[in-house]
């Protein structure tokens, strides 16, 4: 009886592993854009905590690397993805940061998970930026999207 149970568990574990491996292998890479000495990478949203109102709070991280003496101005937009309709804009946030020396930082926006539909919310962020150096500003970059992440309310 113990041998049969052990074999069943091993077979189930092998089946689950075989199912999960293709998903791991084809996971999306994080996108990034480089312009005028700065690189911005919007990362996949992550759950952080539950606020006092009882809402899940999601963090939208982005990594920013800039050469010395540059100011990066970033437009960050958070969306909930919809299949049938246009994606829902949840929040917009603009910011800038001066880099006196070449470095990499992680910047983030935390925002309560919206309740836009029955079932899971598919969240992602979209980022565009421009760089100013020596009084000259670059053009705004094309929008770069993070990977989507599903969260339940």
């Amino acid at each position: 009886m113990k041998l049969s149970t052990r074999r069943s568990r091993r077979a189930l574990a092998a089946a689950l592993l075989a199912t999960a491996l293709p998903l791991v292998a084809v996971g999306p890479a994080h996108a990034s854009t480089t312009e005028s000495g700065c690189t911005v990478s919007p990362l996949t949203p992550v759950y952080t905590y539950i606020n006092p109102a009882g809402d899940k709070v999601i963090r939208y991280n982005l990594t920013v690397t800039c050469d010395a003496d540059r100011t990066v101005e970033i437009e960050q937009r958070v969306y909930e993805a919809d299949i049938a309709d246009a994606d829902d804009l949840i929040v917009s946030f603009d910011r800038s940061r001066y880099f006196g020396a070449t470095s990499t930082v992680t910047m983030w926006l935390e925002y309560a998970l919206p309740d836009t539909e029955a079932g899971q919310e598919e969240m992602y962020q979209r980022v565009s930026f421009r760089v100013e150096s020596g009084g000259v500003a670059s053009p705004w970059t094309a929008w770069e999207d993070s990977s989507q992440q599903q969260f339940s309310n």
Side-chain angles (χ1 to χ4, degrees), residues 113-135:
L113 181 66
D115 190 0
T116 65
E117 61 194 3
Q120 303 234 6
E121 305 289 343
E122 301 83 18
M123 305 304 298
Y124 71 96
Q125 64 177 316
R126 177 171 281 174
V127 175
S128 176
F129 69 97
R130 67 180 174 185
V131 179
E132 188 274 323
S133 180

Side-chain angles (χ1 to χ4, degrees), residues 8-22:
S8 296
R9 287 183 187 160
R10 285 183 184 163
L12 177 60
L16 289 173
L17 184 60
T19 303
L21 282 178

Side-chain angles (χ1 to χ4, degrees), residues 41 46-47 83 127 149:
S41 303
V46 294
Y47 163 80
I83 294 171
V127 175
Q149 181 65 46

Side-chain angles (χ1 to χ4, degrees), residues 31-35 38-42 127 129 141-144:
S32 60
T33 299
T34 299
E35 173 65 47
C38 290
T39 301
V40 177
S41 303
V127 175
F129 69 97
T141 64
W143 290 100
E144 191 76 54

Side-chain angles (χ1 to χ4, degrees), residues 87-107:
D87 293 352
D88 298 320
L89 175 62
I90 304 303
V91 65
S92 299
F93 191 74
D94 299 339
R95 68 179 84 201
S96 64
R97 181 179 176 119
Y98 174 72
F99 287 79
T102 300
S103 63
T104 299
V105 298
T106 299
M107 302 169 79

